Amino acid sequence: MFGIADVWATGVASTLLVNLSQGSVSTAVKALTTVGLIERVPAPGSRREHFRLPEDAWATLMSGQNLTVKTMREAAEQGIATTGEDSIAGRRLVEMRDL
């Protein structure tokens, strides 16, 4: 038996399965790869890029180790230090950081 991490697809296959444009799939693949929800996998003998959902994808996305979340948190901290927590911007940045 195989798990979700063993299932892979090409962008073309995804386009056909869900009836989306290639541009939409390409944009989604780029975004999902950036946040770690999908990863490229080798497919010997194929010129197409193949992707899969890694086993720890959701944990990676939700953890503080996620680069995007970490970057946003650091930006919020810098903004709070600059504006102060009691300013309008500071309160919004505190909310962003604590989310």
Side-chain angles (χ1 to χ4, degrees):
M1 178 179 262
F2 63 88
I4 190 77
D6 299 318
V7 178
W8 53 266
T10 66
V12 173
S14 301
T15 301
L16 296 172
L17 289 172
V18 292
N19 198 26
L20 296 172
S21 71
Q22 287 182 340
S24 295
V25 171
S26 178
T27 300
V29 163
K30 186 175 182 179
L32 294 171
T33 302
T34 300
V35 297
L37 277 179
I38 62 173
E39 63 185 10
R40 285 183 176 83
V41 292
S46 176
R47 291 181 168 187
R48 298 186 187 273
E49 291 183 308
H50 291 75
F51 301 90
R52 71 175 173 195
L53 179 71
E55 286 187 35
D56 62 348
W58 293 110
T60 299
L61 179 66
M62 298 301 174
S63 74
Q65 296 172 9
N66 182 285
L67 181 58
T68 303
V69 173
K70 182 179 177 187
T71 301
M72 289 178 62
R73 185 175 292 131
E74 290 170 355
E77 288 289 347
Q78 290 175 0
I80 293 165
T82 301
T83 63
E85 286 192 28
D86 295 327
S87 69
I88 293 171
R91 287 191 298 270
R92 290 180 180 162
L93 290 166
V94 167
E95 182 180 352
M96 181 179 119
R97 178 200 63 200
D98 294 346
L99 182 65

